[in-house]
Amino acid sequence: VLQAAPRPFSGEAEKFIMSAYSFAEAAHRGQKRKSGEDYIIHSLFVAKNLAEIGMDEKTLAAGLLHDVPEDTTVTLEDVREKFGDEVALLVDGITKLGKIKLRGSKEEFYLENLRKMFMAMAEDIRVVIIKLADRLHNMRTLEHLPPEKQQRIARGTLEIYDQIANRLGIGEIKGELEDICFKYLEPEHYEETKKL
């Protein structure tokens, strides 16, 4: 994760990130993803995605901890006590954003309102960036889900997350999200394009 950053972190920042990793690893110990991998692997990839686009140590720590209060017995208060208000605010924001669901309506005004709500709920833009890094790793591991779920998640990704990445100017994430969505939403065209 630390090597993925364009600039090296200070010794203090590295210690902070490593502490968040240890905390998240202990909290998620024994949990597995649908792929069979240890859950902490997902948290590490989210942090790596964040490091690659040059985010700071508090954002990386929140990326490592983003599922801890929701998926383990560790509370948000435990996170706040160990890592401070700023990281706790980011983790809490990610939990709230996770509760927004795409309901299947395709009208542009509805999607626009959903995007606005997504942005409005994020008191700190870093929450949205962590959520994008989280969605990117979830998309990279989409093959472990049933086909109908793959389609639903890919559609929601294209209609919301891709648009937000575009508005934030995060081209690396936007491009990869589009490629993965194309693979699941237009499999025949995707294969043809790959051959070409």
Side-chain angles (χ1 to χ4, degrees):
V1 170
L2 297 171
Q3 281 75 42
R7 292 174 306 282
F9 287 101
S10 71
E12 280 303 304
E14 275 192 25
K15 259 193 256 175
F16 191 76
I17 294 164
M18 292 308 294
S19 175
Y21 164 73
S22 299
F23 190 89
E25 196 278 327
H28 287 299
R29 197 167 292 147
Q31 292 182 330
K32 301 278 185 194
R33 288 190 32 106
K34 295 261 192 290
S35 63
E37 282 182 327
D38 288 340
Y39 199 93
I40 192 64
I41 300 296
H42 169 66
S43 305
L44 280 167
F45 271 102
V46 171
K48 182 176 183 279
N49 292 341
L50 293 166
E52 285 170 350
I53 58 170
M55 299 308 291
D56 69 326
E57 69 272 12
K58 293 202 172 161
T59 310
L60 266 68
L64 287 163
L65 299 163
H66 77 279
D67 281 330
V68 166
E70 202 172 10
D71 294 342
T72 76
T73 56
V74 177
T75 67
L76 184 64
E77 281 316 305
D78 296 330
V79 171
R80 186 185 317 281
E81 202 174 290
K82 179 91 172 137
F83 299 99
D85 289 339
E86 193 177 341
V87 171
L89 182 76
L90 295 174
V91 171
D92 188 42
I94 296 154
T95 304
K96 286 176 182 162
L97 284 182
K99 293 184 167 84
I100 298 176
K101 298 287 183 239
L102 184 65
R103 301 268 179 237
S105 170
K106 294 224 176 68
E107 293 89 353
E108 184 52 39
F109 79 90
Y110 175 76
L111 293 173
E112 185 59 30
N113 284 336
L114 195 53
R115 283 184 210 117
K116 282 178 187 165
M117 181 169 51
F118 194 109
M119 298 301 266
M121 282 184 75
E123 293 173 43
D124 187 315
I125 194 65
R126 291 174 296 173
V127 171
V128 177
I129 294 168
I130 295 165
K131 197 66 192 158
L132 283 170
D134 174 47
R135 178 52 67 112
L136 178 58
H137 185 249
N138 285 335
M139 290 301 292
R140 286 175 180 162
T141 57
L142 207 54
E143 73 268 15
H144 301 289
L145 297 178
E148 65 281 358
K149 207 166 181 186
Q150 290 172 344
Q151 292 262 318
R152 186 174 51 75
I153 291 170
R155 202 168 297 110
T157 298
L158 206 53
E159 290 168 344
I160 296 166
Y161 291 89
D162 180 61
Q163 300 301 318
I164 290 167
N166 184 42
R167 285 178 188 203
L168 294 177
I170 308 173
E172 304 93 330
I173 290 180
K174 175 184 164 31
E176 191 174 347
L177 286 176
E178 286 174 351
D179 288 349
I180 299 170
C181 289
F182 183 39
K183 178 181 174 180
Y184 289 99
L185 295 173
E186 302 278 346
E188 299 84 9
H189 291 115
Y190 176 80
E191 285 307 319
E192 277 173 36
T193 305
K194 242 173 76 170
K195 279 182 197 138
L196 289 171

PDB file of all heavy atoms in Angstrom, residues 69-95:
ATOM      1  N   PRO A  69     -16.878  -0.597  11.496  1.00  0.00           N
ATOM      2  CA  PRO A  69     -18.061  -0.428  12.357  1.00  0.00           C
ATOM      3  C   PRO A  69     -19.309  -1.159  11.838  1.00  0.00           C
ATOM      4  O   PRO A  69     -20.143  -1.580  12.615  1.00  0.00           O
ATOM      5  CB  PRO A  69     -18.307   1.086  12.354  1.00  0.00           C
ATOM      6  CG  PRO A  69     -17.013   1.686  11.942  1.00  0.00           C
ATOM      7  CD  PRO A  69     -16.382   0.694  11.011  1.00  0.00           C
ATOM      8  N   GLU A  70     -19.392  -1.302  10.513  1.00  0.00           N
ATOM      9  CA  GLU A  70     -20.590  -1.920   9.942  1.00  0.00           C
ATOM     10  C   GLU A  70     -20.544  -3.444   9.969  1.00  0.00           C
ATOM     11  O   GLU A  70     -21.561  -4.096  10.159  1.00  0.00           O
ATOM     12  CB  GLU A  70     -20.758  -1.436   8.498  1.00  0.00           C
ATOM     13  CG  GLU A  70     -22.167  -1.564   8.009  1.00  0.00           C
ATOM     14  CD  GLU A  70     -22.386  -0.902   6.656  1.00  0.00           C
ATOM     15  OE1 GLU A  70     -21.405  -0.495   6.009  1.00  0.00           O
ATOM     16  OE2 GLU A  70     -23.547  -0.820   6.263  1.00  0.00           O
ATOM     17  N   ASP A  71     -19.355  -4.012   9.814  1.00  0.00           N
ATOM     18  CA  ASP A  71     -19.238  -5.459   9.623  1.00  0.00           C
ATOM     19  C   ASP A  71     -18.564  -6.213  10.771  1.00  0.00           C
ATOM     20  O   ASP A  71     -18.321  -7.411  10.653  1.00  0.00           O
ATOM     21  CB  ASP A  71     -18.453  -5.753   8.331  1.00  0.00           C
ATOM     22  CG  ASP A  71     -19.200  -5.296   7.092  1.00  0.00           C
ATOM     23  OD1 ASP A  71     -20.420  -5.081   7.182  1.00  0.00           O
ATOM     24  OD2 ASP A  71     -18.561  -5.147   6.033  1.00  0.00           O
ATOM     25  N   THR A  72     -18.193  -5.514  11.844  1.00  0.00           N
ATOM     26  CA  THR A  72     -17.526  -6.192  12.968  1.00  0.00           C
ATOM     27  C   THR A  72     -18.145  -5.711  14.284  1.00  0.00           C
ATOM     28  O   THR A  72     -19.026  -4.852  14.283  1.00  0.00           O
ATOM     29  CB  THR A  72     -16.004  -5.903  12.987  1.00  0.00           C
ATOM     30  OG1 THR A  72     -15.772  -4.588  13.488  1.00  0.00           O
ATOM     31  CG2 THR A  72     -15.361  -6.044  11.616  1.00  0.00           C
ATOM     32  N   THR A  73     -17.650  -6.223  15.377  1.00  0.00           N
ATOM     33  CA  THR A  73     -18.166  -5.817  16.694  1.00  0.00           C
ATOM     34  C   THR A  73     -17.528  -4.507  17.169  1.00  0.00           C
ATOM     35  O   THR A  73     -17.931  -3.948  18.180  1.00  0.00           O
ATOM     36  CB  THR A  73     -17.899  -6.918  17.746  1.00  0.00           C
ATOM     37  OG1 THR A  73     -16.495  -7.181  17.753  1.00  0.00           O
ATOM     38  CG2 THR A  73     -18.666  -8.185  17.417  1.00  0.00           C
ATOM     39  N   VAL A  74     -16.531  -4.016  16.434  1.00  0.00           N
ATOM     40  CA  VAL A  74     -15.866  -2.756  16.785  1.00  0.00           C
ATOM     41  C   VAL A  74     -16.786  -1.590  16.399  1.00  0.00           C
ATOM     42  O   VAL A  74     -17.359  -1.577  15.318  1.00  0.00           O
ATOM     43  CB  VAL A  74     -14.501  -2.642  16.050  1.00  0.00           C
ATOM     44  CG1 VAL A  74     -13.840  -1.305  16.337  1.00  0.00           C
ATOM     45  CG2 VAL A  74     -13.589  -3.790  16.450  1.00  0.00           C
ATOM     46  N   THR A  75     -16.919  -0.617  17.283  1.00  0.00           N
ATOM     47  CA  THR A  75     -17.838   0.502  17.043  1.00  0.00           C
ATOM     48  C   THR A  75     -17.105   1.707  16.447  1.00  0.00           C
ATOM     49  O   THR A  75     -15.875   1.793  16.482  1.00  0.00           O
ATOM     50  CB  THR A  75     -18.499   0.957  18.364  1.00  0.00           C
ATOM     51  OG1 THR A  75     -17.477   1.528  19.199  1.00  0.00           O
ATOM     52  CG2 THR A  75     -19.183  -0.195  19.078  1.00  0.00           C
ATOM     53  N   LEU A  76     -17.903   2.653  15.966  1.00  0.00           N
ATOM     54  CA  LEU A  76     -17.353   3.907  15.463  1.00  0.00           C
ATOM     55  C   LEU A  76     -16.636   4.654  16.587  1.00  0.00           C
ATOM     56  O   LEU A  76     -15.609   5.290  16.365  1.00  0.00           O
ATOM     57  CB  LEU A  76     -18.467   4.776  14.861  1.00  0.00           C
ATOM     58  CG  LEU A  76     -18.011   6.078  14.216  1.00  0.00           C
ATOM     59  CD1 LEU A  76     -17.113   5.824  13.006  1.00  0.00           C
ATOM     60  CD2 LEU A  76     -19.202   6.933  13.818  1.00  0.00           C
ATOM     61  N   GLU A  77     -17.168   4.543  17.799  1.00  0.00           N
ATOM     62  CA  GLU A  77     -16.522   5.195  18.956  1.00  0.00           C
ATOM     63  C   GLU A  77     -15.141   4.614  19.227  1.00  0.00           C
ATOM     64  O   GLU A  77     -14.213   5.336  19.579  1.00  0.00           O
ATOM     65  CB  GLU A  77     -17.409   5.095  20.205  1.00  0.00           C
ATOM     66  CG  GLU A  77     -18.546   6.097  20.221  1.00  0.00           C
ATOM     67  CD  GLU A  77     -18.132   7.520  19.800  1.00  0.00           C
ATOM     68  OE1 GLU A  77     -17.187   8.074  20.417  1.00  0.00           O
ATOM     69  OE2 GLU A  77     -18.718   8.073  18.860  1.00  0.00           O
ATOM     70  N   ASP A  78     -15.005   3.284  19.024  1.00  0.00           N
ATOM     71  CA  ASP A  78     -13.689   2.643  19.172  1.00  0.00           C
ATOM     72  C   ASP A  78     -12.707   3.225  18.147  1.00  0.00           C
ATOM     73  O   ASP A  78     -11.549   3.490  18.462  1.00  0.00           O
ATOM     74  CB  ASP A  78     -13.782   1.124  18.974  1.00  0.00           C
ATOM     75  CG  ASP A  78     -14.637   0.438  20.035  1.00  0.00           C
ATOM     76  OD1 ASP A  78     -14.678   0.943  21.171  1.00  0.00           O
ATOM     77  OD2 ASP A  78     -15.250  -0.606  19.715  1.00  0.00           O
ATOM     78  N   VAL A  79     -13.203   3.409  16.920  1.00  0.00           N
ATOM     79  CA  VAL A  79     -12.370   3.980  15.854  1.00  0.00           C
ATOM     80  C   VAL A  79     -11.985   5.416  16.224  1.00  0.00           C
ATOM     81  O   VAL A  79     -10.825   5.815  16.102  1.00  0.00           O
ATOM     82  CB  VAL A  79     -13.104   3.935  14.488  1.00  0.00           C
ATOM     83  CG1 VAL A  79     -12.356   4.722  13.421  1.00  0.00           C
ATOM     84  CG2 VAL A  79     -13.316   2.486  14.031  1.00  0.00           C
ATOM     85  N   ARG A  80     -12.960   6.183  16.707  1.00  0.00           N
ATOM     86  CA  ARG A  80     -12.712   7.585  17.092  1.00  0.00           C
ATOM     87  C   ARG A  80     -11.649   7.673  18.202  1.00  0.00           C
ATOM     88  O   ARG A  80     -10.744   8.480  18.140  1.00  0.00           O
ATOM     89  CB  ARG A  80     -14.016   8.239  17.561  1.00  0.00           C
ATOM     90  CG  ARG A  80     -13.894   9.731  17.853  1.00  0.00           C
ATOM     91  CD  ARG A  80     -15.181  10.327  18.427  1.00  0.00           C
ATOM     92  NE  ARG A  80     -16.387   9.886  17.772  1.00  0.00           N
ATOM     93  CZ  ARG A  80     -16.840  10.354  16.605  1.00  0.00           C
ATOM     94  NH1 ARG A  80     -16.168  11.287  15.969  1.00  0.00           N
ATOM     95  NH2 ARG A  80     -17.955   9.874  16.084  1.00  0.00           N
ATOM     96  N   GLU A  81     -11.794   6.793  19.191  1.00  0.00           N
ATOM     97  CA  GLU A  81     -10.869   6.787  20.326  1.00  0.00           C
ATOM     98  C   GLU A  81      -9.429   6.512  19.882  1.00  0.00           C
ATOM     99  O   GLU A  81      -8.491   7.136  20.361  1.00  0.00           O
ATOM    100  CB  GLU A  81     -11.326   5.709  21.315  1.00  0.00           C
ATOM    101  CG  GLU A  81     -10.832   5.915  22.726  1.00  0.00           C
ATOM    102  CD  GLU A  81     -11.452   4.887  23.653  1.00  0.00           C
ATOM    103  OE1 GLU A  81     -12.670   4.976  23.909  1.00  0.00           O
ATOM    104  OE2 GLU A  81     -10.706   3.997  24.088  1.00  0.00           O
ATOM    105  N   LYS A  82      -9.281   5.589  18.948  1.00  0.00           N
ATOM    106  CA  LYS A  82      -7.935   5.173  18.508  1.00  0.00           C
ATOM    107  C   LYS A  82      -7.352   6.098  17.434  1.00  0.00           C
ATOM    108  O   LYS A  82      -6.151   6.350  17.425  1.00  0.00           O
ATOM    109  CB  LYS A  82      -8.031   3.731  17.987  1.00  0.00           C
ATOM    110  CG  LYS A  82      -6.740   3.152  17.478  1.00  0.00           C
ATOM    111  CD  LYS A  82      -5.972   2.434  18.552  1.00  0.00           C
ATOM    112  CE  LYS A  82      -4.786   1.722  17.943  1.00  0.00           C
ATOM    113  NZ  LYS A  82      -3.583   1.851  18.694  1.00  0.00           N
ATOM    114  N   PHE A  83      -8.208   6.595  16.516  1.00  0.00           N
ATOM    115  CA  PHE A  83      -7.687   7.318  15.345  1.00  0.00           C
ATOM    116  C   PHE A  83      -8.145   8.770  15.232  1.00  0.00           C
ATOM    117  O   PHE A  83      -7.744   9.466  14.300  1.00  0.00           O
ATOM    118  CB  PHE A  83      -8.031   6.548  14.057  1.00  0.00           C
ATOM    119  CG  PHE A  83      -7.415   5.190  14.037  1.00  0.00           C
ATOM    120  CD1 PHE A  83      -8.166   4.075  14.374  1.00  0.00           C
ATOM    121  CD2 PHE A  83      -6.068   5.017  13.745  1.00  0.00           C
ATOM    122  CE1 PHE A  83      -7.595   2.809  14.400  1.00  0.00           C
ATOM    123  CE2 PHE A  83      -5.487   3.761  13.770  1.00  0.00           C
ATOM    124  CZ  PHE A  83      -6.250   2.649  14.095  1.00  0.00           C
ATOM    125  N   GLY A  84      -8.997   9.227  16.154  1.00  0.00           N
ATOM    126  CA  GLY A  84      -9.384  10.638  16.164  1.00  0.00           C
ATOM    127  C   GLY A  84     -10.681  10.932  15.417  1.00  0.00           C
ATOM    128  O   GLY A  84     -11.219  10.093  14.697  1.00  0.00           O
ATOM    129  N   ASP A  85     -11.137  12.177  15.599  1.00  0.00           N
ATOM    130  CA  ASP A  85     -12.425  12.617  15.031  1.00  0.00           C
ATOM    131  C   ASP A  85     -12.430  12.613  13.506  1.00  0.00           C
ATOM    132  O   ASP A  85     -13.429  12.257  12.889  1.00  0.00           O
ATOM    133  CB  ASP A  85     -12.762  14.034  15.511  1.00  0.00           C
ATOM    134  CG  ASP A  85     -13.147  14.052  16.985  1.00  0.00           C
ATOM    135  OD1 ASP A  85     -13.537  12.988  17.516  1.00  0.00           O
ATOM    136  OD2 ASP A  85     -13.050  15.133  17.603  1.00  0.00           O
ATOM    137  N   GLU A  86     -11.314  13.035  12.915  1.00  0.00           N
ATOM    138  CA  GLU A  86     -11.275  13.165  11.460  1.00  0.00           C
ATOM    139  C   GLU A  86     -11.477  11.815  10.767  1.00  0.00           C
ATOM    140  O   GLU A  86     -12.314  11.684   9.865  1.00  0.00           O
ATOM    141  CB  GLU A  86      -9.935  13.786  11.038  1.00  0.00           C
ATOM    142  CG  GLU A  86      -9.900  14.250   9.606  1.00  0.00           C
ATOM    143  CD  GLU A  86      -8.588  14.936   9.241  1.00  0.00           C
ATOM    144  OE1 GLU A  86      -7.853  15.378  10.151  1.00  0.00           O
ATOM    145  OE2 GLU A  86      -8.305  15.005   8.042  1.00  0.00           O
ATOM    146  N   VAL A  87     -10.745  10.795  11.208  1.00  0.00           N
ATOM    147  CA  VAL A  87     -10.875   9.457  10.610  1.00  0.00           C
ATOM    148  C   VAL A  87     -12.272   8.899  10.915  1.00  0.00           C
ATOM    149  O   VAL A  87     -12.919   8.323  10.034  1.00  0.00           O
ATOM    150  CB  VAL A  87      -9.756   8.513  11.111  1.00  0.00           C
ATOM    151  CG1 VAL A  87     -10.015   7.069  10.674  1.00  0.00           C
ATOM    152  CG2 VAL A  87      -8.402   8.984  10.594  1.00  0.00           C
ATOM    153  N   ALA A  88     -12.762   9.104  12.133  1.00  0.00           N
ATOM    154  CA  ALA A  88     -14.105   8.614  12.496  1.00  0.00           C
ATOM    155  C   ALA A  88     -15.171   9.265  11.620  1.00  0.00           C
ATOM    156  O   ALA A  88     -16.118   8.598  11.186  1.00  0.00           O
ATOM    157  CB  ALA A  88     -14.387   8.887  13.970  1.00  0.00           C
ATOM    158  N   LEU A  89     -15.020  10.558  11.327  1.00  0.00           N
ATOM    159  CA  LEU A  89     -15.981  11.264  10.464  1.00  0.00           C
ATOM    160  C   LEU A  89     -15.992  10.659   9.056  1.00  0.00           C
ATOM    161  O   LEU A  89     -17.052  10.442   8.464  1.00  0.00           O
ATOM    162  CB  LEU A  89     -15.627  12.754  10.394  1.00  0.00           C
ATOM    163  CG  LEU A  89     -16.591  13.613   9.568  1.00  0.00           C
ATOM    164  CD1 LEU A  89     -17.873  13.866  10.350  1.00  0.00           C
ATOM    165  CD2 LEU A  89     -15.951  14.932   9.194  1.00  0.00           C
ATOM    166  N   LEU A  90     -14.810  10.344   8.547  1.00  0.00           N
ATOM    167  CA  LEU A  90     -14.715   9.728   7.215  1.00  0.00           C
ATOM    168  C   LEU A  90     -15.364   8.348   7.208  1.00  0.00           C
ATOM    169  O   LEU A  90     -16.149   8.025   6.312  1.00  0.00           O
ATOM    170  CB  LEU A  90     -13.247   9.620   6.779  1.00  0.00           C
ATOM    171  CG  LEU A  90     -12.495  10.940   6.547  1.00  0.00           C
ATOM    172  CD1 LEU A  90     -11.021  10.676   6.263  1.00  0.00           C
ATOM    173  CD2 LEU A  90     -13.120  11.752   5.434  1.00  0.00           C
ATOM    174  N   VAL A  91     -15.059   7.535   8.211  1.00  0.00           N
ATOM    175  CA  VAL A  91     -15.616   6.175   8.292  1.00  0.00           C
ATOM    176  C   VAL A  91     -17.140   6.242   8.432  1.00  0.00           C
ATOM    177  O   VAL A  91     -17.868   5.504   7.761  1.00  0.00           O
ATOM    178  CB  VAL A  91     -14.970   5.381   9.452  1.00  0.00           C
ATOM    179  CG1 VAL A  91     -15.689   4.049   9.675  1.00  0.00           C
ATOM    180  CG2 VAL A  91     -13.482   5.136   9.170  1.00  0.00           C
ATOM    181  N   ASP A  92     -17.630   7.155   9.247  1.00  0.00           N
ATOM    182  CA  ASP A  92     -19.075   7.324   9.428  1.00  0.00           C
ATOM    183  C   ASP A  92     -19.732   7.759   8.116  1.00  0.00           C
ATOM    184  O   ASP A  92     -20.802   7.266   7.750  1.00  0.00           O
ATOM    185  CB  ASP A  92     -19.337   8.357  10.529  1.00  0.00           C
ATOM    186  CG  ASP A  92     -20.806   8.440  10.900  1.00  0.00           C
ATOM    187  OD1 ASP A  92     -21.463   7.371  11.000  1.00  0.00           O
ATOM    188  OD2 ASP A  92     -21.313   9.559  11.089  1.00  0.00           O
ATOM    189  N   GLY A  93     -19.082   8.665   7.394  1.00  0.00           N
ATOM    190  CA  GLY A  93     -19.615   9.124   6.102  1.00  0.00           C
ATOM    191  C   GLY A  93     -19.729   7.985   5.105  1.00  0.00           C
ATOM    192  O   GLY A  93     -20.707   7.886   4.356  1.00  0.00           O
ATOM    193  N   ILE A  94     -18.751   7.090   5.095  1.00  0.00           N
ATOM    194  CA  ILE A  94     -18.764   5.942   4.179  1.00  0.00           C
ATOM    195  C   ILE A  94     -19.919   5.006   4.541  1.00  0.00           C
ATOM    196  O   ILE A  94     -20.626   4.507   3.668  1.00  0.00           O
ATOM    197  CB  ILE A  94     -17.417   5.189   4.218  1.00  0.00           C
ATOM    198  CG1 ILE A  94     -16.317   6.097   3.699  1.00  0.00           C
ATOM    199  CG2 ILE A  94     -17.470   3.908   3.397  1.00  0.00           C
ATOM    200  CD1 ILE A  94     -14.948   5.760   4.225  1.00  0.00           C
ATOM    201  N   THR A  95     -20.128   4.794   5.836  1.00  0.00           N
ATOM    202  CA  THR A  95     -21.240   3.945   6.289  1.00  0.00           C
ATOM    203  C   THR A  95     -22.563   4.527   5.813  1.00  0.00           C
ATOM    204  O   THR A  95     -23.421   3.809   5.300  1.00  0.00           O
ATOM    205  CB  THR A  95     -21.223   3.827   7.832  1.00  0.00           C
ATOM    206  OG1 THR A  95     -19.947   3.324   8.227  1.00  0.00           O
ATOM    207  CG2 THR A  95     -22.300   2.887   8.330  1.00  0.00           C
TER     208      THR A  95
END
